[in-house]
């Protein structure tokens, strides 16, 4: 995996399941992560979180995830312990981490809200994030959900079950397939795409992330980082002294493995 992201000490795939869509009102109920180190180790983290303040799990969330309120009461850890564990996994000191999630703006907003509530927000201001959904939209036509990418890359042995631990395993395989298909993933770090009809509201944008409208041309997406290059914005990991000629030629060269 580090072949695709040589500038990072740890590559961390993560996923959360929540009680709803709004991090200001809802909470994380399941967290899972897989951390790959440069040394080749792989550490897995998975736990459930108890509901706060007498909450009950909405029926539609139970239908989607198979998680019940009673289950969280028995198997979940308290919110304070969960905050500490997530901080250790995603924002451990002394290392440069790359966080990867599918539809990362959703997962990151919930995590960052939790960190802010715990007083850890300063630790998260320099996070580097890859949104595999943004990459997916550049690789195939709609739909691009995790289950669609599993099918697109003919991946077996995993499923998109809307359970965090299952989705993390699936995500790692999808991203590996993406990197094998075209070694340009480093150019998507800290670069999130938005649909023209549904741009991300300013209040929902994450500090340090560049948001760009992800347009379609001829039924296929433009490479999002090429749009940014045309604007003169250098993606993460591009040396300042490096000068590119034709940006389309650069993309083709990466796909062919020449750079």
């Amino acid at each position: 995996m580090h072949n695709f992201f040589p500038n990072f000490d740890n590559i961390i795939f993560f996923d959360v399941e929540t009680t709803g869509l709004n991090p200001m009102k809802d909470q994380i109920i399941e967290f899972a992560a897989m951390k790959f180190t440069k040394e080749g180790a792989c550490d897995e983290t998975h736990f459930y979180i108890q509901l706060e303040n007498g909450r009950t799990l909405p029926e539609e969330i139970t239908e989607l995830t198979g998680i019940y309120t009673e289950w969280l009461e028995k198997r979940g850890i308290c919110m304070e312990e969960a905050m500490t564990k997530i901080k250790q996994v995603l924002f451990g000191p002394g290392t440069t981490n790359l966080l990867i999630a599918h539809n990362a703006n959703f997962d990151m907003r919930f995590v960052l809200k939790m960190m802010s509530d715990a007083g850890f927000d300063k630790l998260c201001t320099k996070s580097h994030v890859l949104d595999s959904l943004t990459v997916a939209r550049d690789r195939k036509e709609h739909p691009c959900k995790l289950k669609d990418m599993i099918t697109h890359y003919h991946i077996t042995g995993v499923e998109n079950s809307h359970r965090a631990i299952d989705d993390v395993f699936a995500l790692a395989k999808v991203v590996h397939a993406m990197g094998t298909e075209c070694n340009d993933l480093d150019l998507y770090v800290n670069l999130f795409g938005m649909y023209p009809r549904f741009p991300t509201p300013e209040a929902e944008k994450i500090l340090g992330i560049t948001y760009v409208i992800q347009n379609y041309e001829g039924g296929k997406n433009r490479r999002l980082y090429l749009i940014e290059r045309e604007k003169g914005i250098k993606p993460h990991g591009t040396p300042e002294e490096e000068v590119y000629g034709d940006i389309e030629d650069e993309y083709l060269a990466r796909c062919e493995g020449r750079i």
Side-chain angles (χ1 to χ4, degrees):
M1 198 66 72
H2 277 83
N3 293 338
F4 308 136
F5 308 104
N7 296 326
F8 295 94
D9 297 318
N10 300 310
I11 299 168
I12 305 172
F13 298 89
F14 78 101
D15 185 63
V16 301
E17 299 300 332
T18 67
T19 58
L21 302 177
N22 187 345
M24 304 306 293
K25 299 189 301 183
D26 297 302
Q27 71 160 86
I28 298 173
I29 56 174
E30 184 186 11
F31 175 86
M34 292 178 64
K35 178 169 71 174
F36 294 86
T37 69
K38 269 190 174 179
E39 292 73 28
C42 176
D43 297 324
E44 298 174 15
T45 301
H46 177 227
F47 54 83
Y48 300 97
I49 304 173
Q50 295 170 351
L51 294 171
E52 288 190 302
N53 304 324
R55 289 177 185 261
T56 57
L57 208 55
E59 184 177 336
E60 60 269 22
I61 299 300
T62 295
E63 291 178 358
L64 180 68
T65 65
I67 299 173
Y68 291 84
T69 299
E70 296 77 17
W71 191 353
L72 295 176
E73 291 176 354
K74 294 179 180 179
R75 301 189 181 188
I77 62 176
C78 69
M79 184 61 70
E80 183 177 355
E81 183 180 355
M83 289 174 173
T84 301
K85 283 180 175 288
I86 291 176
K87 184 192 74 162
Q88 291 172 342
V89 172
L90 298 184
F91 309 105
T95 58
T96 303
N97 297 334
L98 174 63
L99 311 183
I100 302 179
H102 201 74
N103 192 15
N105 203 67
F106 175 86
D107 297 81
M108 283 297 296
R109 287 182 65 225
F110 270 91
V111 167
L112 293 177
K113 175 61 168 61
M114 176 186 276
M115 294 298 101
S116 178
D117 290 345
F120 299 143
D121 46 321
K122 290 185 179 180
L123 298 175
C124 312
T125 55
K126 295 184 179 180
S127 303
H128 297 291
V129 188
L130 175 78
D131 176 28
S132 58
L133 176 59
T134 294
V135 181
R137 289 169 177 163
D138 270 4
R139 299 294 180 87
K140 72 178 291 291
E141 296 180 359
H142 181 82
C144 296
K145 294 180 179 179
L146 186 58
K147 66 178 182 180
D148 301 309
M149 302 314 295
I150 292 170
T151 301
H152 177 71
Y153 288 114
H154 308 289
I155 297 171
T156 59
V158 298
E159 61 178 332
N160 177 204
S161 66
H162 294 288
R163 293 294 296 276
I165 189 63
D166 293 336
D167 290 356
V168 162
F169 282 123
L171 175 61
K173 289 200 171 187
V174 165
V175 172
H176 186 272
M178 287 175 167
T180 301
E181 178 184 47
C182 182
N183 188 14
D184 65 352
L185 296 182
D186 59 318
L187 297 178
Y188 288 90
V189 174
N190 298 334
L191 182 62
F192 287 9
M194 305 181 292
Y195 276 131
R197 291 178 59 190
F198 306 104
T200 305
E202 288 298 321
E204 297 180 8
K205 291 183 178 180
I206 298 168
L207 184 66
I209 301 297
T210 298
Y211 292 81
V212 184
I213 295 296
Q214 202 163 12
N215 288 314
Y216 287 81
E217 289 189 358
K220 295 183 179 180
N221 284 335
R222 291 286 318 274
R223 298 290 155 176
L224 192 61
Y225 64 82
L226 297 181
I227 296 172
E228 282 301 277
R229 184 69 53 75
E230 289 176 333
K231 292 181 178 179
I233 301 174
K234 285 186 175 293
H236 173 80
T238 304
E240 289 298 324
E241 67 275 8
E242 193 166 0
V243 178
Y244 292 102
D246 189 317
I247 55 178
E248 297 289 349
D249 285 347
E250 182 211 343
Y251 166 66
L252 292 174
R254 280 183 171 270
C255 286
E256 294 168 3
R258 290 187 278 117
I259 60 173

